[in-house]
């Protein structure tokens, strides 16, 4: 039995490759940094979905207006359908996405990509008693998402930072949420069902729920001098340091550096970045001492927390922003599974009593 399915290959894919030994991520043939430097969010999404949905063209110019219209449609659809109360944003997002019709077509995919970008700002503003801001279908996706959140003009460094984030987390091999999405797709269910399942898997703190606790950690540490005693106490209590360790990477997660670079370009954020760097350095030293045989390095979630905070997202919304990027990968994988895979149905090893034992 492979507990946690370590090293089990459960799909062939053309979407992404994670090399945990050298710390390299390839997305549709391009190293992560090349994709981020040469593509907008819309172009990257188009590249990821190319070949999986009729109507997606390879000319790299079609998705922007289609996605803009989908944002407007999602705003109109959800305007009077938001859950009330003070639900956690991920729970509210799940409730909303579950209302969308299922399907395997381009329109369903566009609505699913547009939905988190529109819904998260609507939900966050509703929680503060503020009116929602309508999307601008002509604006770039990342700009529009930030504008709907803040109702301010979005400058280029902020646009670039969110775009970098959304592309950096777009896909990452057969991680827990993507595998979940593929399992659902393998039964013949539609994209909405697969995305809803992926979102449910993303929520947990061992996967996409880590950056909120990372920020709590930085807030509790306050200054670099406090890092060592605070982190050591956590480790002594047998707790995990959020933002460190990974199932696949034995070296630093390349996404951490992509995000760190994006933060360094944001004006006025150097103090927070300096604290994060000091905490990271101390954490890596303490983890190496505690687990000399198990390399535990910085993962994507550590600098995600710093970047999303700098962009004005509250910690409880970080998993929802992750959803806004990763949804593209889930859709590509769900379609790939439907096109090339079989029903995913592994075996379990029964270790309970047998009839003769029970008698
Ligand atoms: N802090 C302290 N110890 C750790 C950490 C950590 N962050 N991560 C792993 N360990 C320890 C475990 O306690 C375990 O010790 P043991 O053998 O004495 O029991 C050992 O390292 C191996 O851990 P596993 O749980 O087997 O590693 P696994 O590959 O299953 O876990 C995971 C990977 C879940 C990411 C883990 O490193 C972790 O919990 N990290 C903190 C949460 C986090 O940052 N999650 C985001 C991951 S990135 C993403 O999903 C987008």
């Amino acid at each position: 039995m492979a507990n946690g399915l370590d090293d089990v290959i459960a799909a062939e894919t053309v979407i992404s490759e994670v090399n945990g030994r050298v710390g390299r991520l390839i997305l549709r043939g391009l190293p992560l940094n090349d994709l981020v430097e040469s593509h907008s969010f819309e172009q990257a999404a188009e590249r990821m979905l190319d070949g999986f949905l009729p109507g997606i063209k390879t000319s790299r110019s079609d998705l922007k207006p289609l996605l803009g219209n989908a944002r407007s449609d999602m705003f109109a659809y959800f305007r009077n359908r938001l859950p009330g109360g003070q639900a956690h944003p991920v729970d509210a997002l799940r409730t909303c996405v579950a209302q969308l019709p299922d399907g395997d077509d381009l329109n369903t995919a566009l609505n699913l990509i547009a939905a988190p970008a529109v819904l998260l700002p609507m939900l966050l503003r509703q929680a503060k008693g503020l009116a929602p801001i309508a999307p601008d279908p002509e604006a770039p996706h990342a700009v529009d998402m930030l504008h709907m959140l803040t109702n301010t003009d979005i400058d280029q460094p902020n646009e670039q930072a969110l775009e970098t984030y959304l592309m950096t987390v777009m896909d990452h091999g057969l991680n827990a949420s993507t595998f979940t999405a593929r399992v659902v797709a393998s039964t013949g269910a539609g994209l909405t069902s697969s995305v809803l399942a992926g979102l449910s898997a993303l929520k947990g703190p061992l996967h996409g729920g880590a950056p909120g606790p990372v920020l709590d950690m930085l807030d509790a540490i306050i200054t670099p001098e406090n890092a060592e005693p605070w982190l050591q106490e956590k480790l002594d209590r047998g707790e995990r340091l959020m933002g460190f360790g990974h199932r696949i990477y034995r070296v630093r997660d390349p996404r951490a550096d992509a995000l760190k670079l994006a933060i360094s370009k944001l004006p006025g954020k150097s103090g927070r970045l300096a604290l994060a760097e000091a905490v990271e350095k101390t954490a890596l030293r303490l983890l190496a001492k505690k687990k000399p045989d198990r390399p535990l390095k910085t993962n994507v979630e550590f600098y995600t927390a710093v970047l999303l905070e700098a962009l004005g997202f509250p910690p409880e919304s970080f998993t929802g922003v992750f959803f806004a990027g990763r949804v593209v990968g889930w859709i590509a994988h769900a379609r790939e599974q439907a096109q090339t895979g079989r029903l995913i149905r592994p075996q379990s090893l029964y270790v309970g009593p047998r009839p003769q034992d029970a008698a």
Side-chain angles (χ1 to χ4, degrees):
M1 193 208 35
N3 195 0
L5 302 183
D6 281 42
D7 299 328
V8 172
I9 295 174
E12 275 187 349
T13 184
V14 299
I15 303 167
S16 65
E17 183 193 60
V18 182
N19 185 323
R21 203 172 30 81
V22 300
R24 190 185 60 210
L25 170 59
I26 294 175
L27 295 152
R28 302 264 2 212
L30 286 182
L32 170 64
N33 287 342
D34 290 3
L35 181 90
V36 166
E37 277 165 24
S38 58
H39 288 61
S40 66
F41 172 82
E42 289 87 340
Q43 289 168 336
E46 202 166 325
R47 189 182 183 100
M48 300 299 285
L49 297 172
D50 185 15
F52 295 125
L53 287 161
I56 288 273
K57 306 217 172 53
T58 49
S59 60
R60 308 265 167 86
S61 58
D62 300 307
L63 208 61
K64 189 167 175 251
L66 295 178
L67 195 53
N69 289 337
R71 286 196 304 276
S72 295
D73 290 348
M74 289 297 93
F75 184 79
Y77 185 82
F78 285 113
R79 184 100 209 234
N80 299 313
R81 286 186 168 91
L82 292 188
Q86 291 296 318
H88 186 281
V90 178
D91 297 335
L93 283 169
R94 251 190 358 238
T95 305
C96 291
V97 173
Q99 298 175 53
L100 291 171
D102 221 344
D104 279 330
D105 56 341
L106 179 59
N107 203 35
T108 306
L110 288 167
N111 287 343
L112 288 166
I113 298 170
V118 172
L119 281 166
L120 196 60
M122 283 173 103
L123 289 163
L124 293 172
R125 291 182 70 83
Q126 176 181 266
K128 286 184 179 168
L130 298 171
I133 308 294
D136 171 3
E138 314 258 298
H141 191 70
V143 170
D144 208 20
M145 188 172 176
L146 283 174
H147 181 255
M148 285 185 276
L149 178 74
T150 61
N151 199 18
T152 58
D153 289 340
I154 307 305
D155 63 15
Q156 220 227 353
N158 279 275
E159 172 187 359
Q160 253 182 12
L162 183 60
E163 215 162 36
T164 297
Y165 173 74
L166 294 174
M167 288 191 273
T168 297
V169 301
M170 213 171 240
D171 197 54
H172 200 243
L174 217 50
N175 58 83
S177 56
T178 302
F179 181 58
T180 306
R182 281 190 85 122
V183 170
V184 174
S186 86
T187 69
L191 289 173
T192 305
S193 300
S194 293
V195 164
L196 201 53
L199 175 59
S200 303
L202 188 71
K203 186 185 178 191
L206 299 189
H207 188 18
V214 168
L215 209 62
D216 295 340
M217 174 172 77
L218 295 181
D219 284 341
I221 291 176
I222 305 172
T223 64
E225 305 76 60
N226 294 336
E228 180 149 357
W230 194 93
L231 295 167
Q232 190 61 60
E233 199 190 318
K234 269 227 156 225
L235 289 173
D236 290 345
R237 282 203 303 263
E239 290 180 33
R240 294 181 179 213
L241 303 183
M242 292 291 140
F244 298 91
H246 199 272
R247 175 62 63 81
I248 308 291
Y249 290 120
R250 290 296 169 267
V251 295
R252 193 179 167 78
D253 183 335
R255 298 171 298 174
D257 285 328
L259 299 185
K260 195 169 154 181
L261 182 66
I263 301 162
S264 69
K265 292 179 185 165
L266 287 173
K269 304 298 171 196
S270 54
R272 196 61 154 167
L273 185 57
L275 173 65
E277 282 174 326
V279 170
E280 179 190 17
K281 205 169 150 201
T282 308
L284 291 174
R285 180 164 51 77
L286 299 180
L287 285 168
K289 208 162 101 196
K290 186 169 171 80
K291 293 263 162 219
D293 301 328
R294 164 85 188 197
L296 293 170
K297 306 293 186 194
T298 317
N299 68 43
V300 64
E301 303 289 47
F302 189 76
Y303 285 105
T304 288
V306 184
L307 185 138
L308 296 185
E309 179 194 38
L311 291 177
F313 289 99
E316 68 277 13
S317 72
F318 290 172
T319 311
V321 194
F322 195 164
F323 170 31
R326 182 57 60 87
V327 64
V328 176
W330 292 336
I331 292 169
H333 277 273
R335 293 297 304 141
E336 187 180 55
Q337 180 67 35
Q339 287 173 2
T340 64
R342 297 172 68 212
L343 174 72
I344 297 175
R345 205 304 185 190
Q347 277 281 27
S348 53
L349 180 67
Y350 180 68
V351 295
R354 297 193 177 276
Q356 66 271 30
D357 302 335

